[in-house]
Amino acid sequence: MTAGRDPAPAGVRTVLVLGGTGEARELARRAVSRARVVSSLAGRVASPRLPEGEVRVGGFGGVAGLVAYLRAERVDAVVDATHPFADRITANALAAVAQTGVPFLVLRRPGWTERAGDRWTWVDSIAEAARVVGDRRAFVTSGRDGLGAFASGVARTVDPPAEATALDLVLDRGPYTVDGELALMRRHAVEVLVTKDSGGGMTAAKLDAARALGLPVVVVRRPPAPAAPTVTTVDAALAWLTTGGGAG
Ligand code: NAP
């Protein structure tokens, strides 16, 4: 080895994981032995599940704030493992890495696909979902926002919604079982399920339960996928980090 050369391996030294998902936590857990991992959470959830490694909480202050953070912390790779519907932080991250040249990867689980026996209607927003539901009793699982537009049924959220709602509330964060979902849907006499196309296994039991009960599902489409290198598994994200964030 040449004297004075950096003896660090080719991989990334400091990685910023934009988090708030199970995949982000798994990536942090598995990457923490090989790099400095800083996970970033928005701070929306009162008591979030914390990833391993360093954690920072709260917005960066737009693109300029994120650019300043990347420079101050000498971040040499960013993995955007945020929820597929968190499109503002993803847009900000794209702009910030364009300005700084920091290697950038999106880790995004695939969306759900309809199976035999499913009765899905695709919509573009929660408001449109509420219009499609009409006065039917809905099981609304699309998060805290927009619940005021639904007439009756039950909403499940992690924290209570800020706005008034006619829906019964169940506070829970999963993961869920099909039996549990069946019981909830029966208990609340649910006629239609409302979900975002979040994808993944942690919240998919509701789709199996709806199929078993022959219930229709209103699915909110994802925002457009970001124009950036994208992987769908934590394994692939780890491989990318090992090669120096695409630079090696
Ligand atoms: P968003 O609309 O894309 O972002 C709004 C603002 O929140 C961003 O401009 C940024 O503020 C801040 N922010 C968002 N995610 C952040 C993060 N990981 N670290 C630091 N700041 C963050 O986000 P959202 O849809 O409200 O989602 C917020 C968080 O909840 C994300 O971490 C996401 O992974 C998680 N989550 C979202 C959903 C969903 O359905 N949207 C579901 C499950 C989990 P600044 O501009 O000040 O930096």
Side-chain angles (χ1 to χ4, degrees):
M1 185 169 57
T2 312
R5 284 268 176 86
D6 183 353
V12 163
R13 278 159 294 196
T14 297
V15 56
L16 174 66
V17 178
L18 300 171
T21 61
E23 289 84 352
R25 283 191 299 277
E26 190 191 338
L27 178 62
R29 181 177 63 75
R30 292 175 60 190
V32 80
S33 60
R34 34 181 125 173
R36 174 183 172 227
V37 179
V38 184
S39 294
S40 176
L41 304 177
R44 299 264 191 289
V45 174
S47 43
R49 293 180 175 129
L50 290 179
E52 288 180 32
E54 292 178 41
V55 179
R56 64 161 303 288
V57 181
F60 294 95
V63 176
L66 184 50
V67 165
Y69 180 88
L70 296 178
R71 291 189 171 134
E73 293 295 324
R74 298 176 180 275
V75 171
D76 48 19
V78 176
V79 178
D80 175 357
T82 57
H83 191 273
F85 281 80
D87 55 348
R88 276 182 292 166
I89 184 67
T90 296
N92 288 356
L94 269 168
V97 297
Q99 280 184 40
T100 55
V102 176
F104 181 62
L105 183 73
V106 175
L107 166 57
R108 194 130 307 174
R109 61 180 97 126
W112 287 315
T113 45
E114 231 170 320
R115 306 210 329 236
D118 283 334
R119 298 164 56 201
W120 292 6
T121 303
W122 290 87
V123 296
D124 286 315
S125 65
I126 310 283
E128 194 187 343
R131 285 194 292 277
V132 169
V133 164
D135 58 9
R136 290 179 290 175
R137 287 185 63 79
F139 176 24
V140 185
T141 63
S142 47
R144 264 185 297 182
D145 297 332
L147 295 180
F150 292 90
S152 70
V154 55
R156 183 169 60 204
T157 58
V158 176
D159 289 318
E163 66 183 307
T165 170
L167 303 175
D168 294 335
L169 278 181
V170 173
L171 301 184
D172 201 349
R173 66 182 359 160
Y176 307 104
T177 63
V178 178
D179 284 348
E181 300 294 50
L182 285 169
L184 186 152
M185 290 185 194
R186 289 189 175 119
R187 190 162 61 246
H188 290 273
V190 167
E191 298 170 287
V192 54
L193 169 67
V194 176
T195 180
K196 289 176 175 169
D197 179 20
S198 298
M202 223 171 86
T203 58
K206 60 191 170 187
L207 300 171
D208 296 334
R211 187 181 312 114
L213 294 173
L215 293 183
V217 183
V218 181
V219 186
V220 183
R221 258 187 214 96
R222 292 179 170 198
T230 300
V231 296
T232 58
T233 65
V234 172
D235 280 344
L238 282 166
W240 182 83
L241 287 175
T242 305
T243 58

